[in-house]
Amino acid sequence: MEPDSQLVAHCLRGEAAAWEELVRRHTRRVYNLAYRFTSNRQEAEDLSQEVFLRIYRTLASYRAVHGEFTTWLTSVTRNLLIDHYRRTRRDRLTDSIDEEGSPAEHKAAPGRRPDEVASASELSVQVQQALGKISPELREAVILRDLQGLDYREIQQVLSVPEGTVKSRINRGRIELARLLTQMGVTGDSAS
Amino acid sequence: MTWTCIHSEERLADYLEGQLEAGERALMEAHLAECAACRGLAAQVSWISGRLPHLPPEVVPSGLVFRILEATSGTAGQKRATSWKTVLAGLLSPRFALGLGTVAATLFILSQALDINPRKITMDDLNPVNLYRAADQQAHLTYARGLRFVNDLRVVYEIRSRLEEASATPVPEQQAPKNAPAPQSEQKLKNDLLRHGSSLTAAVTLAGLGGEL
Ligand SMILES: [Zn+2]
């Protein structure tokens, strides 16, 4: 498989097929990050388009020496997510009063007996509900580390904060997530 | 120092990842041995952070890659040509109506770049193929203008792809009742086309006026 930096070089020479390959390769990553952060499929889709539009326009400014293409792509995605978060903050505050804080897309998970085994997709929905309730700072740290698999150094680049801050946000994010899941009756005991 | 629940929380990730040095680890383990709350939390955090990396990824909506390509390089749409009948049919969709302002603005920019009079705009002027040809014939088209044109053409392609999407999905409200004779529904469609056609012209005219102000 051709490395991303090679594909970028082809894109800059005007090869449409290279751009198409780049988009195909990374749409899932961008869409998943956006969906995990917003909990909304339509918003995630719109944001993914926005991300690639920005990448397309600024592709010439990407330099492989500054890091992996995925790190750059993740930074662009993350910045747009934060812009979007700030832009829609007011609407969301109003919404959450109406809906008593529950994310619009997910109904409360039906109660499960502790001995029932949680399937991965069931857990995925429950994690999404819990993620929506933690602060965006902690949320993005957990998503980048545990769902997108970035290492500390990459997250440091994406968030432009020191390593200590990255570590502490991931730690606090996991703890909040764990507590929320416990409150929802979703625990390791019930799924093991 | 006294090792409290707060210390346990702060050092939890490091502890679970085996990053604590011996002294801290001993304090941590002594605390966990006597504090059920921290023990429970450590177990839960350990469990969920082990599960997170293996959660199934969300399925990318069908057509998203295509829409991204259309909105950027425009390459995904080049193989298809669309007649203006299809485009006008798409104008009937509510989704498109919202974008009419953008369309008007684009048409205005295009008409400026190509010396098309927005008040006398014809359907052929709007056909992407003809837009391309017209641009070709403009010998004085500068590079910057060309760039802007390509960007606007991209918007046109994006509009087309949305229209095609809209026309591919039948809208139940637009279907004639079962017992209604076919010619009647055809007449209705014609009327709709006329109505929307004139509102498009109005939008274009407005855009033209806006540019003169
Ligand atoms: Zn404790």
Side-chain angles (χ1 to χ4, degrees):
Chain A
M1 199 170 73
E2 214 173 351
D4 289 336
S5 54
Q6 207 72 43
L7 280 178
V8 172
H10 288 303
C11 289
L12 293 174
R13 263 179 260 140
E15 291 171 34
W19 172 248
E20 183 162 343
E21 171 61 20
L22 210 55
V23 171
R24 286 190 191 283
R25 203 179 272 184
H26 295 288
T27 299
R28 190 164 85 164
R29 168 181 289 276
V30 170
Y31 176 77
N32 267 270
L33 175 51
Y35 174 70
R36 285 304 190 183
F37 190 82
T38 61
S39 295
N40 183 305
R41 291 192 169 77
Q42 188 56 55
E43 283 175 27
E45 199 173 321
D46 293 346
L47 282 159
S48 303
Q49 290 204 41
E50 243 182 274
V51 167
F52 281 102
L53 204 56
R54 183 165 298 186
I55 292 287
Y56 188 72
R57 284 175 182 157
T58 55
L59 201 58
S61 70
Y62 168 70
R63 296 282 176 279
V65 287
H66 295 145
E68 293 291 317
F69 176 77
T70 23
T71 313
W72 183 57
L73 179 67
T74 306
S75 302
V76 170
T77 310
R78 186 265 173 180
N79 291 339
L80 284 170
L81 284 172
I82 295 298
D83 287 351
H84 172 78
Y85 174 81
R86 293 191 180 128
R87 230 174 25 236
T88 56
R89 185 178 219 148
R90 195 173 291 265
D91 306 340
R92 254 194 336 276
L93 286 175
T94 331
D95 283 355
S96 63
I97 291 163
D98 296 343
E99 293 160 25
E100 288 170 354
S102 71
E105 269 203 17
H106 297 295
K107 306 282 172 282
R112 276 188 305 109
R113 295 195 314 277
D115 58 347
E116 270 181 277
V117 172
S119 74
S121 57
E122 205 181 331
L123 182 62
S124 183
V125 172
Q126 290 154 338
V127 163
Q128 192 59 48
Q129 279 180 272
L131 277 175
K133 289 177 187 162
I134 70 179
S135 78
E137 261 180 13
L138 303 186
R139 193 193 311 161
E140 64 181 5
V142 172
I143 295 172
L144 292 175
R145 177 73 195 107
D146 291 332
L147 291 169
Q148 301 255 305
L150 270 64
D151 62 31
Y152 288 123
R153 190 186 48 83
E154 289 169 321
I155 299 173
Q156 222 178 304
Q157 284 184 337
V158 169
L159 303 183
S160 316
V161 293
E163 191 182 352
T165 312
V166 170
K167 282 189 146 190
S168 122
R169 283 186 194 171
I170 292 169
N171 185 44
R172 284 191 291 140
R174 284 176 183 161
I175 289 174
E176 287 203 17
L177 193 64
R179 287 208 166 111
L180 283 162
L181 289 169
T182 306
Q183 282 169 23
M184 291 159 66
V186 183
T187 64
D189 308 335
S190 64
S192 57
Chain B
M1 73 181 278
T2 324
W3 190 273
T4 65
C5 294
I6 292 167
H7 292 106
S8 293
E9 277 194 27
E10 274 173 1
R11 314 298 277 138
L12 190 52
D14 282 342
Y15 171 68
L16 292 173
E17 285 166 16
Q19 304 281 316
L20 284 191
E21 45 96 6
E24 283 195 322
R25 197 177 66 230
L27 288 165
M28 179 82 161
E29 280 169 353
H31 181 88
L32 290 181
E34 59 189 35
C35 177
C38 284
R39 211 162 48 235
L41 183 66
Q44 177 80 338
V45 168
S46 167
W47 169 70
I48 193 59
S49 39
R51 292 294 303 267
L52 289 177
H54 308 290
L55 290 184
E58 283 294 312
V59 180
V60 173
S62 70
L64 178 57
V65 169
F66 180 82
R67 285 192 286 283
I68 288 169
L69 290 172
E70 287 251 316
T72 52
S73 58
T75 44
Q78 277 175 1
K79 57 192 179 295
R80 289 168 297 120
T82 317
S83 78
W84 276 95
K85 256 179 215 159
T86 338
V87 172
L88 274 177
L91 285 175
L92 302 174
S93 79
R95 188 179 168 189
F96 180 76
L98 290 172
L100 209 57
T102 324
V103 177
T106 307
L107 290 180
F108 175 66
I109 295 163
L110 281 172
S111 67
Q112 289 288 295
L114 302 177
D115 290 331
I116 299 167
N117 182 345
R119 294 206 177 88
K120 288 180 187 164
I121 202 156
T122 69
M123 285 308 158
D124 273 342
D125 288 327
L126 292 174
N127 190 317
V129 176
N130 289 345
L131 288 172
Y132 241 129
R133 283 200 193 117
D136 248 355
Q137 288 159 7
Q138 294 277 74
H140 61 272
L141 205 64
T142 63
Y143 178 68
R145 258 179 142 188
L147 260 189
R148 197 177 65 169
F149 170 76
V150 169
N151 275 325
D152 289 313
L153 197 63
R154 225 169 259 150
V155 178
V156 171
Y157 272 113
E158 166 75 358
I159 294 163
R160 277 180 48 211
S161 79
R162 289 192 179 187
L163 293 180
E164 276 160 24
E165 228 177 62
S167 58
T169 343
V171 184
E173 298 91 82
Q174 282 177 12
Q175 282 167 359
K178 271 182 200 154
N179 54 355
Q184 202 186 318
S185 67
E186 243 180 56
Q187 187 54 48
K188 182 184 175 293
L189 185 65
K190 269 184 197 157
N191 287 341
D192 282 347
L193 286 177
L194 281 173
R195 200 172 65 234
H196 284 275
S198 59
S199 71
L200 180 66
T201 317
V204 171
T205 314
L206 270 176
L209 287 174
E212 281 169 13
L213 288 175

